[in-house]
Amino acid sequence: MTKQRLKLGVNIDHVATLRQARGTSYPDVVTAAAICESAGAQGITIHLREDRRHIQDADVYELRRTVDGTLNLEMANVREIVEIAAEVGPDEVCLVPEKREELTTEGGLDVVGQRDAMASTVGILKDAGIKVSLFVEAAADQLSASRDIGADYVELHTGTFCDATGDEANAELEKLISGARTASDLGLQVNAGHGINTANIDRVLEMPHLDTLNIGHSIVARAVFVGLETAVGEILDRMAAYGGGRL
Ligand code: PXP
């Protein structure tokens, strides 16, 4: 069996952050997405937040028209955004928890605790022909609940591992590895994301069964120095070493 290549979804939210900081029309997210795709990224990820702090509604519609690869829309489980998603029809939606005061997404979804509300949204999105991913911690109960309510993918939250050092990082990585195994055994496709950069990616690649890594902040930050195309290329070069992780 030929192994499928590990895919990269570039999260371009922070290109929009720079634009929104001054209320300008630049830098243009459509151009950014095109550069990422021509550099070899298989997908573009955007998060339409309730507070619209970076990506705007018009961006979502424009990117739907222009992105050739996979368009992955991250969003909270709120009616207004679910309606936009169903209308726009991204290839994938990744449901995430969202708090207004947070700097970035904190923690994974509580699929167990919010099972009915999640199941109803997963149904709406799947009826609209959209693949659904749930952003969760690598915990067995959250993974089986994700499978039970019909998710196609889980995106395992790598943020705690990426921020940790020493023994704590080792322990967090073991949780991610066992979470990826459990998710795959449940028949879920496995993505991972949050906080991944060139300093920690080699260890993230120890995770088995990975389909896609969603990486944003570190790529956009690196692009300030080397340009977006090179920044995407650097990450893809590192990802090319993926040998299937620790099975
Ligand atoms: N995946 C999810 C579900 C996220 O919420 C984010 C942040 O928007 C990312 C991936 C990308 O994280 P980072 O910007 O730290 O690479």
Side-chain angles (χ1 to χ4, degrees), residues 44-80:
I44 299 297
T45 292
I46 47 175
H47 185 172
L48 184 66
R49 295 186 71 102
E50 276 189 277
D51 64 11
R52 308 300 201 273
R53 67 172 72 158
H54 37 55
I55 294 294
Q56 306 296 302
D57 298 35
D59 297 328
V60 182
Y61 286 87
E62 272 287 280
L63 288 163
R64 175 62 298 179
R65 276 197 322 102
T66 59
V67 168
D68 289 328
T70 302
L71 181 65
N72 172 34
L73 178 63
E74 294 175 359
M75 51 182 252
N77 184 17
V78 293
R79 180 195 287 250
E80 181 212 0

PDB file of all heavy atoms in Angstrom, residues 44-80:
ATOM      1  N   ILE A  44      -5.961  25.485   2.642  1.00  0.00           N
ATOM      2  CA  ILE A  44      -5.959  26.778   3.317  1.00  0.00           C
ATOM      3  C   ILE A  44      -6.979  26.699   4.442  1.00  0.00           C
ATOM      4  O   ILE A  44      -8.111  26.218   4.244  1.00  0.00           O
ATOM      5  CB  ILE A  44      -6.361  27.913   2.331  1.00  0.00           C
ATOM      6  CG1 ILE A  44      -5.352  28.004   1.173  1.00  0.00           C
ATOM      7  CG2 ILE A  44      -6.507  29.247   3.059  1.00  0.00           C
ATOM      8  CD1 ILE A  44      -3.929  28.370   1.565  1.00  0.00           C
ATOM      9  N   THR A  45      -6.559  27.153   5.607  1.00  0.00           N
ATOM     10  CA  THR A  45      -7.433  27.145   6.772  1.00  0.00           C
ATOM     11  C   THR A  45      -7.690  28.577   7.217  1.00  0.00           C
ATOM     12  O   THR A  45      -6.764  29.400   7.228  1.00  0.00           O
ATOM     13  CB  THR A  45      -6.753  26.336   7.912  1.00  0.00           C
ATOM     14  OG1 THR A  45      -6.715  24.961   7.522  1.00  0.00           O
ATOM     15  CG2 THR A  45      -7.503  26.447   9.214  1.00  0.00           C
ATOM     16  N   ILE A  46      -8.954  28.856   7.549  1.00  0.00           N
ATOM     17  CA  ILE A  46      -9.312  30.179   8.073  1.00  0.00           C
ATOM     18  C   ILE A  46     -10.298  29.989   9.219  1.00  0.00           C
ATOM     19  O   ILE A  46     -11.061  29.015   9.224  1.00  0.00           O
ATOM     20  CB  ILE A  46      -9.961  31.084   6.986  1.00  0.00           C
ATOM     21  CG1 ILE A  46     -11.059  30.313   6.223  1.00  0.00           C
ATOM     22  CG2 ILE A  46      -8.900  31.635   6.043  1.00  0.00           C
ATOM     23  CD1 ILE A  46     -11.825  31.157   5.230  1.00  0.00           C
ATOM     24  N   HIS A  47     -10.255  30.907  10.157  1.00  0.00           N
ATOM     25  CA  HIS A  47     -11.158  30.842  11.304  1.00  0.00           C
ATOM     26  C   HIS A  47     -12.034  32.094  11.274  1.00  0.00           C
ATOM     27  O   HIS A  47     -11.528  33.206  11.448  1.00  0.00           O
ATOM     28  CB  HIS A  47     -10.310  30.793  12.589  1.00  0.00           C
ATOM     29  CG  HIS A  47     -11.093  30.616  13.846  1.00  0.00           C
ATOM     30  ND1 HIS A  47     -10.501  30.390  15.069  1.00  0.00           N
ATOM     31  CD2 HIS A  47     -12.423  30.645  14.107  1.00  0.00           C
ATOM     32  CE1 HIS A  47     -11.419  30.274  16.007  1.00  0.00           C
ATOM     33  NE2 HIS A  47     -12.605  30.432  15.444  1.00  0.00           N
ATOM     34  N   LEU A  48     -13.317  31.902  11.007  1.00  0.00           N
ATOM     35  CA  LEU A  48     -14.251  33.034  11.066  1.00  0.00           C
ATOM     36  C   LEU A  48     -14.750  33.129  12.496  1.00  0.00           C
ATOM     37  O   LEU A  48     -15.630  32.373  12.916  1.00  0.00           O
ATOM     38  CB  LEU A  48     -15.417  32.822  10.091  1.00  0.00           C
ATOM     39  CG  LEU A  48     -16.398  34.003  10.007  1.00  0.00           C
ATOM     40  CD1 LEU A  48     -15.722  35.235   9.413  1.00  0.00           C
ATOM     41  CD2 LEU A  48     -17.635  33.638   9.188  1.00  0.00           C
ATOM     42  N   ARG A  49     -14.158  34.058  13.250  1.00  0.00           N
ATOM     43  CA  ARG A  49     -14.518  34.187  14.660  1.00  0.00           C
ATOM     44  C   ARG A  49     -15.760  35.049  14.799  1.00  0.00           C
ATOM     45  O   ARG A  49     -16.028  35.929  13.982  1.00  0.00           O
ATOM     46  CB  ARG A  49     -13.365  34.826  15.444  1.00  0.00           C
ATOM     47  CG  ARG A  49     -12.100  33.979  15.491  1.00  0.00           C
ATOM     48  CD  ARG A  49     -11.079  34.630  16.404  1.00  0.00           C
ATOM     49  NE  ARG A  49     -11.492  34.537  17.785  1.00  0.00           N
ATOM     50  CZ  ARG A  49     -10.993  33.660  18.669  1.00  0.00           C
ATOM     51  NH1 ARG A  49     -10.034  32.837  18.329  1.00  0.00           N
ATOM     52  NH2 ARG A  49     -11.447  33.623  19.895  1.00  0.00           N
ATOM     53  N   GLU A  50     -16.486  34.811  15.875  1.00  0.00           N
ATOM     54  CA  GLU A  50     -17.687  35.616  16.120  1.00  0.00           C
ATOM     55  C   GLU A  50     -17.357  37.106  16.194  1.00  0.00           C
ATOM     56  O   GLU A  50     -18.150  37.942  15.789  1.00  0.00           O
ATOM     57  CB  GLU A  50     -18.319  35.199  17.452  1.00  0.00           C
ATOM     58  CG  GLU A  50     -19.215  33.997  17.331  1.00  0.00           C
ATOM     59  CD  GLU A  50     -19.964  33.777  18.639  1.00  0.00           C
ATOM     60  OE1 GLU A  50     -19.367  33.162  19.545  1.00  0.00           O
ATOM     61  OE2 GLU A  50     -21.104  34.256  18.739  1.00  0.00           O
ATOM     62  N   ASP A  51     -16.182  37.437  16.742  1.00  0.00           N
ATOM     63  CA  ASP A  51     -15.826  38.866  16.876  1.00  0.00           C
ATOM     64  C   ASP A  51     -15.174  39.426  15.606  1.00  0.00           C
ATOM     65  O   ASP A  51     -14.833  40.599  15.552  1.00  0.00           O
ATOM     66  CB  ASP A  51     -14.917  39.089  18.092  1.00  0.00           C
ATOM     67  CG  ASP A  51     -13.564  38.378  17.978  1.00  0.00           C
ATOM     68  OD1 ASP A  51     -13.221  37.869  16.888  1.00  0.00           O
ATOM     69  OD2 ASP A  51     -12.844  38.334  18.998  1.00  0.00           O
ATOM     70  N   ARG A  52     -14.997  38.578  14.586  1.00  0.00           N
ATOM     71  CA  ARG A  52     -14.420  38.992  13.292  1.00  0.00           C
ATOM     72  C   ARG A  52     -13.110  39.745  13.484  1.00  0.00           C
ATOM     73  O   ARG A  52     -12.843  40.729  12.808  1.00  0.00           O
ATOM     74  CB  ARG A  52     -15.406  39.876  12.497  1.00  0.00           C
ATOM     75  CG  ARG A  52     -16.797  39.303  12.307  1.00  0.00           C
ATOM     76  CD  ARG A  52     -16.800  37.970  11.561  1.00  0.00           C
ATOM     77  NE  ARG A  52     -18.088  37.683  10.975  1.00  0.00           N
ATOM     78  CZ  ARG A  52     -19.090  37.059  11.617  1.00  0.00           C
ATOM     79  NH1 ARG A  52     -18.947  36.653  12.872  1.00  0.00           N
ATOM     80  NH2 ARG A  52     -20.240  36.841  10.988  1.00  0.00           N
ATOM     81  N   ARG A  53     -12.259  39.257  14.374  1.00  0.00           N
ATOM     82  CA  ARG A  53     -11.026  40.001  14.641  1.00  0.00           C
ATOM     83  C   ARG A  53     -10.009  39.894  13.502  1.00  0.00           C
ATOM     84  O   ARG A  53      -9.145  40.744  13.386  1.00  0.00           O
ATOM     85  CB  ARG A  53     -10.390  39.570  15.959  1.00  0.00           C
ATOM     86  CG  ARG A  53      -9.863  38.167  15.952  1.00  0.00           C
ATOM     87  CD  ARG A  53      -9.084  37.845  17.207  1.00  0.00           C
ATOM     88  NE  ARG A  53      -9.933  37.707  18.372  1.00  0.00           N
ATOM     89  CZ  ARG A  53      -9.586  37.030  19.465  1.00  0.00           C
ATOM     90  NH1 ARG A  53      -8.393  36.467  19.529  1.00  0.00           N
ATOM     91  NH2 ARG A  53     -10.392  36.928  20.492  1.00  0.00           N
ATOM     92  N   HIS A  54     -10.093  38.829  12.702  1.00  0.00           N
ATOM     93  CA  HIS A  54      -9.167  38.769  11.557  1.00  0.00           C
ATOM     94  C   HIS A  54      -9.926  38.451  10.257  1.00  0.00           C
ATOM     95  O   HIS A  54     -10.183  39.344   9.468  1.00  0.00           O
ATOM     96  CB  HIS A  54      -7.960  37.842  11.800  1.00  0.00           C
ATOM     97  CG  HIS A  54      -8.227  36.587  12.587  1.00  0.00           C
ATOM     98  ND1 HIS A  54      -9.182  35.679  12.237  1.00  0.00           N
ATOM     99  CD2 HIS A  54      -7.622  36.101  13.705  1.00  0.00           C
ATOM    100  CE1 HIS A  54      -9.161  34.678  13.102  1.00  0.00           C
ATOM    101  NE2 HIS A  54      -8.234  34.900  14.016  1.00  0.00           N
ATOM    102  N   ILE A  55     -10.293  37.219  10.034  1.00  0.00           N
ATOM    103  CA  ILE A  55     -11.018  36.861   8.812  1.00  0.00           C
ATOM    104  C   ILE A  55     -12.427  37.489   8.844  1.00  0.00           C
ATOM    105  O   ILE A  55     -13.120  37.440   9.864  1.00  0.00           O
ATOM    106  CB  ILE A  55     -11.089  35.320   8.683  1.00  0.00           C
ATOM    107  CG1 ILE A  55      -9.686  34.716   8.457  1.00  0.00           C
ATOM    108  CG2 ILE A  55     -12.056  34.887   7.583  1.00  0.00           C
ATOM    109  CD1 ILE A  55      -9.011  35.079   7.141  1.00  0.00           C
ATOM    110  N   GLN A  56     -12.828  38.069   7.710  1.00  0.00           N
ATOM    111  CA  GLN A  56     -14.143  38.692   7.570  1.00  0.00           C
ATOM    112  C   GLN A  56     -15.030  37.805   6.685  1.00  0.00           C
ATOM    113  O   GLN A  56     -14.520  36.971   5.927  1.00  0.00           O
ATOM    114  CB  GLN A  56     -13.990  40.074   6.922  1.00  0.00           C
ATOM    115  CG  GLN A  56     -13.015  40.988   7.644  1.00  0.00           C
ATOM    116  CD  GLN A  56     -13.487  41.327   9.055  1.00  0.00           C
ATOM    117  OE1 GLN A  56     -14.575  41.869   9.228  1.00  0.00           O
ATOM    118  NE2 GLN A  56     -12.674  40.986  10.060  1.00  0.00           N
ATOM    119  N   ASP A  57     -16.329  38.047   6.760  1.00  0.00           N
ATOM    120  CA  ASP A  57     -17.256  37.222   5.972  1.00  0.00           C
ATOM    121  C   ASP A  57     -16.888  37.221   4.479  1.00  0.00           C
ATOM    122  O   ASP A  57     -16.877  36.165   3.826  1.00  0.00           O
ATOM    123  CB  ASP A  57     -18.689  37.727   6.121  1.00  0.00           C
ATOM    124  CG  ASP A  57     -19.176  37.642   7.557  1.00  0.00           C
ATOM    125  OD1 ASP A  57     -18.364  37.853   8.489  1.00  0.00           O
ATOM    126  OD2 ASP A  57     -20.372  37.369   7.761  1.00  0.00           O
ATOM    127  N   ALA A  58     -16.554  38.425   3.961  1.00  0.00           N
ATOM    128  CA  ALA A  58     -16.244  38.521   2.527  1.00  0.00           C
ATOM    129  C   ALA A  58     -15.033  37.672   2.161  1.00  0.00           C
ATOM    130  O   ALA A  58     -14.954  37.125   1.056  1.00  0.00           O
ATOM    131  CB  ALA A  58     -16.003  39.982   2.143  1.00  0.00           C
ATOM    132  N   ASP A  59     -14.075  37.540   3.099  1.00  0.00           N
ATOM    133  CA  ASP A  59     -12.897  36.704   2.828  1.00  0.00           C
ATOM    134  C   ASP A  59     -13.310  35.257   2.583  1.00  0.00           C
ATOM    135  O   ASP A  59     -12.755  34.560   1.728  1.00  0.00           O
ATOM    136  CB  ASP A  59     -11.925  36.707   4.033  1.00  0.00           C
ATOM    137  CG  ASP A  59     -11.348  38.080   4.322  1.00  0.00           C
ATOM    138  OD1 ASP A  59     -11.165  38.866   3.373  1.00  0.00           O
ATOM    139  OD2 ASP A  59     -11.073  38.354   5.510  1.00  0.00           O
ATOM    140  N   VAL A  60     -14.268  34.796   3.379  1.00  0.00           N
ATOM    141  CA  VAL A  60     -14.682  33.394   3.286  1.00  0.00           C
ATOM    142  C   VAL A  60     -15.278  33.123   1.896  1.00  0.00           C
ATOM    143  O   VAL A  60     -14.940  32.131   1.236  1.00  0.00           O
ATOM    144  CB  VAL A  60     -15.703  33.048   4.398  1.00  0.00           C
ATOM    145  CG1 VAL A  60     -16.088  31.571   4.332  1.00  0.00           C
ATOM    146  CG2 VAL A  60     -15.152  33.393   5.774  1.00  0.00           C
ATOM    147  N   TYR A  61     -16.115  34.045   1.442  1.00  0.00           N
ATOM    148  CA  TYR A  61     -16.737  33.869   0.123  1.00  0.00           C
ATOM    149  C   TYR A  61     -15.686  33.934  -0.989  1.00  0.00           C
ATOM    150  O   TYR A  61     -15.689  33.123  -1.921  1.00  0.00           O
ATOM    151  CB  TYR A  61     -17.821  34.932  -0.097  1.00  0.00           C
ATOM    152  CG  TYR A  61     -19.069  34.658   0.716  1.00  0.00           C
ATOM    153  CD1 TYR A  61     -19.183  35.116   2.030  1.00  0.00           C
ATOM    154  CD2 TYR A  61     -20.119  33.914   0.184  1.00  0.00           C
ATOM    155  CE1 TYR A  61     -20.316  34.849   2.789  1.00  0.00           C
ATOM    156  CE2 TYR A  61     -21.263  33.647   0.936  1.00  0.00           C
ATOM    157  CZ  TYR A  61     -21.344  34.114   2.231  1.00  0.00           C
ATOM    158  OH  TYR A  61     -22.469  33.845   2.978  1.00  0.00           O
ATOM    159  N   GLU A  62     -14.768  34.919  -0.878  1.00  0.00           N
ATOM    160  CA  GLU A  62     -13.722  35.079  -1.902  1.00  0.00           C
ATOM    161  C   GLU A  62     -12.806  33.867  -1.954  1.00  0.00           C
ATOM    162  O   GLU A  62     -12.447  33.370  -3.018  1.00  0.00           O
ATOM    163  CB  GLU A  62     -12.854  36.313  -1.561  1.00  0.00           C
ATOM    164  CG  GLU A  62     -13.381  37.599  -2.123  1.00  0.00           C
ATOM    165  CD  GLU A  62     -13.170  37.646  -3.620  1.00  0.00           C
ATOM    166  OE1 GLU A  62     -12.046  37.951  -4.058  1.00  0.00           O
ATOM    167  OE2 GLU A  62     -14.128  37.337  -4.362  1.00  0.00           O
ATOM    168  N   LEU A  63     -12.429  33.386  -0.772  1.00  0.00           N
ATOM    169  CA  LEU A  63     -11.512  32.235  -0.740  1.00  0.00           C
ATOM    170  C   LEU A  63     -12.200  30.978  -1.263  1.00  0.00           C
ATOM    171  O   LEU A  63     -11.562  30.129  -1.881  1.00  0.00           O
ATOM    172  CB  LEU A  63     -10.957  32.045   0.678  1.00  0.00           C
ATOM    173  CG  LEU A  63      -9.950  33.133   1.083  1.00  0.00           C
ATOM    174  CD1 LEU A  63      -9.751  33.170   2.591  1.00  0.00           C
ATOM    175  CD2 LEU A  63      -8.608  32.934   0.378  1.00  0.00           C
ATOM    176  N   ARG A  64     -13.493  30.876  -1.022  1.00  0.00           N
ATOM    177  CA  ARG A  64     -14.219  29.723  -1.587  1.00  0.00           C
ATOM    178  C   ARG A  64     -14.112  29.720  -3.117  1.00  0.00           C
ATOM    179  O   ARG A  64     -14.019  28.693  -3.756  1.00  0.00           O
ATOM    180  CB  ARG A  64     -15.681  29.758  -1.134  1.00  0.00           C
ATOM    181  CG  ARG A  64     -16.607  28.715  -1.716  1.00  0.00           C
ATOM    182  CD  ARG A  64     -16.281  27.266  -1.425  1.00  0.00           C
ATOM    183  NE  ARG A  64     -15.005  26.794  -1.932  1.00  0.00           N
ATOM    184  CZ  ARG A  64     -14.512  25.573  -1.773  1.00  0.00           C
ATOM    185  NH1 ARG A  64     -15.156  24.666  -1.099  1.00  0.00           N
ATOM    186  NH2 ARG A  64     -13.346  25.238  -2.274  1.00  0.00           N
ATOM    187  N   ARG A  65     -14.138  30.931  -3.695  1.00  0.00           N
ATOM    188  CA  ARG A  65     -14.044  31.041  -5.160  1.00  0.00           C
ATOM    189  C   ARG A  65     -12.635  30.768  -5.668  1.00  0.00           C
ATOM    190  O   ARG A  65     -12.462  30.293  -6.779  1.00  0.00           O
ATOM    191  CB  ARG A  65     -14.409  32.479  -5.592  1.00  0.00           C
ATOM    192  CG  ARG A  65     -15.875  32.745  -5.743  1.00  0.00           C
ATOM    193  CD  ARG A  65     -16.149  34.017  -6.559  1.00  0.00           C
ATOM    194  NE  ARG A  65     -15.239  35.120  -6.315  1.00  0.00           N
ATOM    195  CZ  ARG A  65     -14.240  35.463  -7.123  1.00  0.00           C
ATOM    196  NH1 ARG A  65     -14.016  34.795  -8.243  1.00  0.00           N
ATOM    197  NH2 ARG A  65     -13.468  36.480  -6.827  1.00  0.00           N
ATOM    198  N   THR A  66     -11.627  31.101  -4.855  1.00  0.00           N
ATOM    199  CA  THR A  66     -10.269  31.118  -5.406  1.00  0.00           C
ATOM    200  C   THR A  66      -9.365  29.959  -4.970  1.00  0.00           C
ATOM    201  O   THR A  66      -8.401  29.661  -5.658  1.00  0.00           O
ATOM    202  CB  THR A  66      -9.560  32.437  -5.035  1.00  0.00           C
ATOM    203  OG1 THR A  66      -9.522  32.548  -3.606  1.00  0.00           O
ATOM    204  CG2 THR A  66     -10.278  33.644  -5.616  1.00  0.00           C
ATOM    205  N   VAL A  67      -9.647  29.355  -3.835  1.00  0.00           N
ATOM    206  CA  VAL A  67      -8.760  28.284  -3.352  1.00  0.00           C
ATOM    207  C   VAL A  67      -8.998  27.008  -4.162  1.00  0.00           C
ATOM    208  O   VAL A  67     -10.136  26.561  -4.306  1.00  0.00           O
ATOM    209  CB  VAL A  67      -8.972  28.032  -1.834  1.00  0.00           C
ATOM    210  CG1 VAL A  67      -8.289  26.750  -1.379  1.00  0.00           C
ATOM    211  CG2 VAL A  67      -8.473  29.219  -1.018  1.00  0.00           C
ATOM    212  N   ASP A  68      -7.929  26.456  -4.690  1.00  0.00           N
ATOM    213  CA  ASP A  68      -8.049  25.229  -5.500  1.00  0.00           C
ATOM    214  C   ASP A  68      -8.026  23.976  -4.632  1.00  0.00           C
ATOM    215  O   ASP A  68      -8.671  22.991  -4.934  1.00  0.00           O
ATOM    216  CB  ASP A  68      -6.870  25.116  -6.477  1.00  0.00           C
ATOM    217  CG  ASP A  68      -6.967  26.148  -7.578  1.00  0.00           C
ATOM    218  OD1 ASP A  68      -8.094  26.495  -7.955  1.00  0.00           O
ATOM    219  OD2 ASP A  68      -5.908  26.616  -8.033  1.00  0.00           O
ATOM    220  N   GLY A  69      -7.210  24.005  -3.583  1.00  0.00           N
ATOM    221  CA  GLY A  69      -7.073  22.836  -2.714  1.00  0.00           C
ATOM    222  C   GLY A  69      -8.211  22.809  -1.698  1.00  0.00           C
ATOM    223  O   GLY A  69      -9.305  23.326  -1.942  1.00  0.00           O
ATOM    224  N   THR A  70      -7.921  22.223  -0.566  1.00  0.00           N
ATOM    225  CA  THR A  70      -8.945  22.083   0.475  1.00  0.00           C
ATOM    226  C   THR A  70      -9.126  23.390   1.233  1.00  0.00           C
ATOM    227  O   THR A  70      -8.161  23.951   1.751  1.00  0.00           O
ATOM    228  CB  THR A  70      -8.494  20.983   1.464  1.00  0.00           C
ATOM    229  OG1 THR A  70      -8.304  19.783   0.725  1.00  0.00           O
ATOM    230  CG2 THR A  70      -9.521  20.765   2.553  1.00  0.00           C
ATOM    231  N   LEU A  71     -10.355  23.874   1.290  1.00  0.00           N
ATOM    232  CA  LEU A  71     -10.644  25.043   2.133  1.00  0.00           C
ATOM    233  C   LEU A  71     -11.277  24.544   3.425  1.00  0.00           C
ATOM    234  O   LEU A  71     -12.328  23.911   3.410  1.00  0.00           O
ATOM    235  CB  LEU A  71     -11.589  26.018   1.421  1.00  0.00           C
ATOM    236  CG  LEU A  71     -11.930  27.279   2.232  1.00  0.00           C
ATOM    237  CD1 LEU A  71     -10.696  28.151   2.454  1.00  0.00           C
ATOM    238  CD2 LEU A  71     -13.027  28.103   1.546  1.00  0.00           C
ATOM    239  N   ASN A  72     -10.590  24.819   4.523  1.00  0.00           N
ATOM    240  CA  ASN A  72     -11.016  24.342   5.844  1.00  0.00           C
ATOM    241  C   ASN A  72     -11.428  25.559   6.668  1.00  0.00           C
ATOM    242  O   ASN A  72     -10.608  26.445   6.909  1.00  0.00           O
ATOM    243  CB  ASN A  72      -9.834  23.602   6.496  1.00  0.00           C
ATOM    244  CG  ASN A  72     -10.085  23.232   7.942  1.00  0.00           C
ATOM    245  OD1 ASN A  72     -11.208  22.931   8.337  1.00  0.00           O
ATOM    246  ND2 ASN A  72      -9.041  23.264   8.754  1.00  0.00           N
ATOM    247  N   LEU A  73     -12.686  25.598   7.064  1.00  0.00           N
ATOM    248  CA  LEU A  73     -13.197  26.731   7.842  1.00  0.00           C
ATOM    249  C   LEU A  73     -13.304  26.327   9.313  1.00  0.00           C
ATOM    250  O   LEU A  73     -14.063  25.421   9.656  1.00  0.00           O
ATOM    251  CB  LEU A  73     -14.578  27.137   7.307  1.00  0.00           C
ATOM    252  CG  LEU A  73     -15.298  28.277   8.027  1.00  0.00           C
ATOM    253  CD1 LEU A  73     -14.526  29.592   7.915  1.00  0.00           C
ATOM    254  CD2 LEU A  73     -16.708  28.460   7.478  1.00  0.00           C
ATOM    255  N   GLU A  74     -12.528  26.997  10.151  1.00  0.00           N
ATOM    256  CA  GLU A  74     -12.648  26.773  11.601  1.00  0.00           C
ATOM    257  C   GLU A  74     -13.726  27.693  12.132  1.00  0.00           C
ATOM    258  O   GLU A  74     -13.793  28.865  11.754  1.00  0.00           O
ATOM    259  CB  GLU A  74     -11.338  27.127  12.307  1.00  0.00           C
ATOM    260  CG  GLU A  74     -10.189  26.242  11.957  1.00  0.00           C
ATOM    261  CD  GLU A  74      -8.913  26.734  12.615  1.00  0.00           C
ATOM    262  OE1 GLU A  74      -8.919  27.757  13.326  1.00  0.00           O
ATOM    263  OE2 GLU A  74      -7.892  26.091  12.407  1.00  0.00           O
ATOM    264  N   MET A  75     -14.524  27.195  13.043  1.00  0.00           N
ATOM    265  CA  MET A  75     -15.610  28.011  13.577  1.00  0.00           C
ATOM    266  C   MET A  75     -16.159  27.446  14.880  1.00  0.00           C
ATOM    267  O   MET A  75     -16.034  26.251  15.154  1.00  0.00           O
ATOM    268  CB  MET A  75     -16.746  28.101  12.559  1.00  0.00           C
ATOM    269  CG  MET A  75     -17.181  26.754  12.032  1.00  0.00           C
ATOM    270  SD  MET A  75     -18.471  26.910  10.815  1.00  0.00           S
ATOM    271  CE  MET A  75     -19.814  26.290  11.804  1.00  0.00           C
ATOM    272  N   ALA A  76     -16.775  28.340  15.650  1.00  0.00           N
ATOM    273  CA  ALA A  76     -17.471  27.906  16.861  1.00  0.00           C
ATOM    274  C   ALA A  76     -18.829  27.343  16.467  1.00  0.00           C
ATOM    275  O   ALA A  76     -19.355  27.635  15.388  1.00  0.00           O
ATOM    276  CB  ALA A  76     -17.657  29.104  17.793  1.00  0.00           C
ATOM    277  N   ASN A  77     -19.389  26.564  17.377  1.00  0.00           N
ATOM    278  CA  ASN A  77     -20.711  25.995  17.118  1.00  0.00           C
ATOM    279  C   ASN A  77     -21.790  27.014  17.488  1.00  0.00           C
ATOM    280  O   ASN A  77     -22.470  26.877  18.493  1.00  0.00           O
ATOM    281  CB  ASN A  77     -20.872  24.704  17.923  1.00  0.00           C
ATOM    282  CG  ASN A  77     -22.187  24.028  17.618  1.00  0.00           C
ATOM    283  OD1 ASN A  77     -22.831  24.332  16.614  1.00  0.00           O
ATOM    284  ND2 ASN A  77     -22.587  23.116  18.495  1.00  0.00           N
ATOM    285  N   VAL A  78     -21.920  28.053  16.654  1.00  0.00           N
ATOM    286  CA  VAL A  78     -22.963  29.057  16.868  1.00  0.00           C
ATOM    287  C   VAL A  78     -23.762  29.192  15.576  1.00  0.00           C
ATOM    288  O   VAL A  78     -23.207  29.108  14.485  1.00  0.00           O
ATOM    289  CB  VAL A  78     -22.390  30.435  17.291  1.00  0.00           C
ATOM    290  CG1 VAL A  78     -21.756  30.370  18.671  1.00  0.00           C
ATOM    291  CG2 VAL A  78     -21.382  30.960  16.289  1.00  0.00           C
ATOM    292  N   ARG A  79     -25.059  29.439  15.766  1.00  0.00           N
ATOM    293  CA  ARG A  79     -25.976  29.367  14.632  1.00  0.00           C
ATOM    294  C   ARG A  79     -25.571  30.275  13.458  1.00  0.00           C
ATOM    295  O   ARG A  79     -25.576  29.849  12.295  1.00  0.00           O
ATOM    296  CB  ARG A  79     -27.385  29.741  15.103  1.00  0.00           C
ATOM    297  CG  ARG A  79     -28.396  29.680  13.965  1.00  0.00           C
ATOM    298  CD  ARG A  79     -29.658  30.388  14.367  1.00  0.00           C
ATOM    299  NE  ARG A  79     -30.378  29.593  15.331  1.00  0.00           N
ATOM    300  CZ  ARG A  79     -31.533  28.974  15.071  1.00  0.00           C
ATOM    301  NH1 ARG A  79     -32.068  29.097  13.890  1.00  0.00           N
ATOM    302  NH2 ARG A  79     -32.139  28.273  15.983  1.00  0.00           N
ATOM    303  N   GLU A  80     -25.193  31.520  13.765  1.00  0.00           N
ATOM    304  CA  GLU A  80     -24.879  32.480  12.701  1.00  0.00           C
ATOM    305  C   GLU A  80     -23.758  31.950  11.797  1.00  0.00           C
ATOM    306  O   GLU A  80     -23.837  32.026  10.569  1.00  0.00           O
ATOM    307  CB  GLU A  80     -24.434  33.793  13.361  1.00  0.00           C
ATOM    308  CG  GLU A  80     -24.092  34.876  12.372  1.00  0.00           C
ATOM    309  CD  GLU A  80     -22.994  35.815  12.860  1.00  0.00           C
ATOM    310  OE1 GLU A  80     -22.480  35.640  13.978  1.00  0.00           O
ATOM    311  OE2 GLU A  80     -22.646  36.713  12.072  1.00  0.00           O
TER     312      GLU A  80
END
